[in-house]
Amino acid sequence: LVELGAGRSGHEVVKRTLVVAMEKKNRERERASVLLSAITRVYGSEQFFEGFIHALRSIDDLALDTPNAALLLANFIARAIVDDVLPPVFISLVPERLVAGGRGAEVAVHVKALLEQHSSTRIMNVWGSGAKNSVDELKESVKALVDEYFSANDLPEALRCVQELDAPLFGHEVVKQIVYRGVEKGGASSEAALALLAALVKAETLPAPQVHKGMTRALLGLADLCLDVPDAKHRISSLLNAAVQQGLVPATMQAHLSNLETAIPA
């Protein structure tokens, strides 16, 4: 808070946090969102409301140094609403003149689109899960998006969520969890798992080495998976064969699976 201006009133600290973070990268923007949530214990709700209003009022000036300032501020607002920093009706409380046109209107439209079209999970990761600070946080983000995919069966949304992870070297965890969930649920879920993997490869969201590594990790965990899913060997074999046929993984993985299966009691 010293760097942001701890001697300032609450709304000035909030605005300064937003302005500084907009000029940084997603990792710093994620930290700024976390900070805003944390200092709700210091400042009252009216200070946050005024801080965001002041930032919105300055949006044209902010855009001089940060051309995508409107999009960034909208992301901050949506995230603040999900974090209970701002009320869900924030945009409707904004003075009409600030959102009647130009960049102000752009902010309002984007906030409404985020809240209406996307889940809280996605908005929580609005800065990309790669902006999170630990492997555990990334794993939780991956688990959440995979769970949501198998629940809603929304392939385009799942694809966007993985892209927004912005963690290309963590793709193997995405693949492993997709395979595990497909095997655990079986039936149509196995087909859904394969469909998502194929979409991720086609969109070049996951590089081939990450897909291969993720599938290898899933195969290595087969023994533990069999404890919870007795039919896991058959299910993962079917999924792997289909993945090989679609060119998602090399055929050598089939031999690798055979070797692992012989070591697992029937």
Side-chain angles (χ1 to χ4, degrees):
L1 286 176
V2 173
E3 182 180 344
L4 295 171
R8 303 165 185 250
S9 59
H11 66 81
E12 290 179 318
V13 172
V14 171
K15 179 187 175 183
R16 185 60 180 163
T17 300
L18 295 169
V19 172
V20 171
M22 283 185 192
E23 298 171 351
K24 305 293 183 178
K25 295 184 178 181
N26 280 348
R27 185 174 297 276
E28 286 75 23
R29 292 167 188 153
E30 169 65 24
R31 290 172 179 170
S33 288
V34 172
L35 174 62
L36 290 173
S37 180
I39 60 177
T40 55
R41 291 170 289 182
V42 179
Y43 301 118
S45 59
E46 70 282 356
Q47 296 295 318
F48 289 93
F49 183 87
E50 287 301 320
F52 275 89
I53 290 294
H54 285 193
L56 184 56
R57 188 176 291 125
S58 304
I59 193 65
D60 287 331
D61 291 335
L62 295 175
L64 296 176
D65 294 322
T66 310
N68 63 337
L71 174 62
L72 294 176
L73 182 56
N75 286 349
F76 271 116
I77 292 172
R79 171 65 180 269
I81 290 172
V82 170
D83 285 340
D84 292 325
V85 173
L86 292 175
V89 294
F90 172 78
I91 288 296
S92 66
L93 300 176
V94 173
E96 179 63 27
R97 69 181 186 280
L98 295 181
V99 292
R103 291 188 179 88
E106 185 181 340
V107 172
V109 168
H110 190 64
V111 170
K112 290 177 181 178
L114 280 171
L115 296 176
E116 292 173 1
Q117 300 173 17
H118 303 297
S119 66
S120 295
T121 299
R122 186 181 176 197
I123 296 173
M124 283 295 293
N125 292 319
V126 72
W127 304 120
S129 293
K132 303 292 186 180
N133 292 323
S134 72
V135 171
D136 287 341
E137 287 178 312
L138 276 173
K139 285 185 176 181
E140 284 301 313
S141 295
V142 171
K143 182 180 183 302
L145 75 86
V146 171
D147 284 345
E148 186 172 336
Y149 170 65
F150 282 98
S151 174
N153 198 29
D154 188 339
L155 183 59
E157 175 69 8
L159 184 59
R160 282 193 295 269
C161 286
V162 175
Q163 291 168 339
E164 290 174 1
L165 281 175
D166 193 25
L169 297 181
F170 206 64
H172 57 86
E173 179 68 20
V174 176
V175 174
K176 188 192 81 168
Q177 291 207 30
I178 291 172
V179 172
Y180 273 10
R181 205 58 41 81
V183 170
E184 288 170 354
K185 290 179 173 291
S189 293
S190 292
E191 297 176 4
L194 192 65
L196 179 53
L197 290 175
L200 290 168
V201 170
K202 183 178 180 180
E204 299 183 347
T205 300
L206 295 181
Q210 289 295 311
V211 177
H212 300 169
K213 182 177 180 180
M215 184 65 77
T216 299
R217 289 183 61 206
L219 297 179
L220 290 173
L222 180 58
D224 290 336
L225 195 56
C226 285
L227 298 176
D228 298 319
V229 185
D231 196 29
K233 286 194 289 185
H234 173 71
R235 293 182 184 182
I236 203 168
S237 178
S238 297
L239 195 154
L240 177 61
N241 289 338
V244 169
Q245 289 176 1
Q246 293 190 29
L248 303 179
V249 295
T252 52
M253 284 198 175
Q254 291 170 313
H256 184 41
L257 175 60
S258 296
N259 292 334
L260 290 171
E261 287 178 328
T262 59
I264 299 174

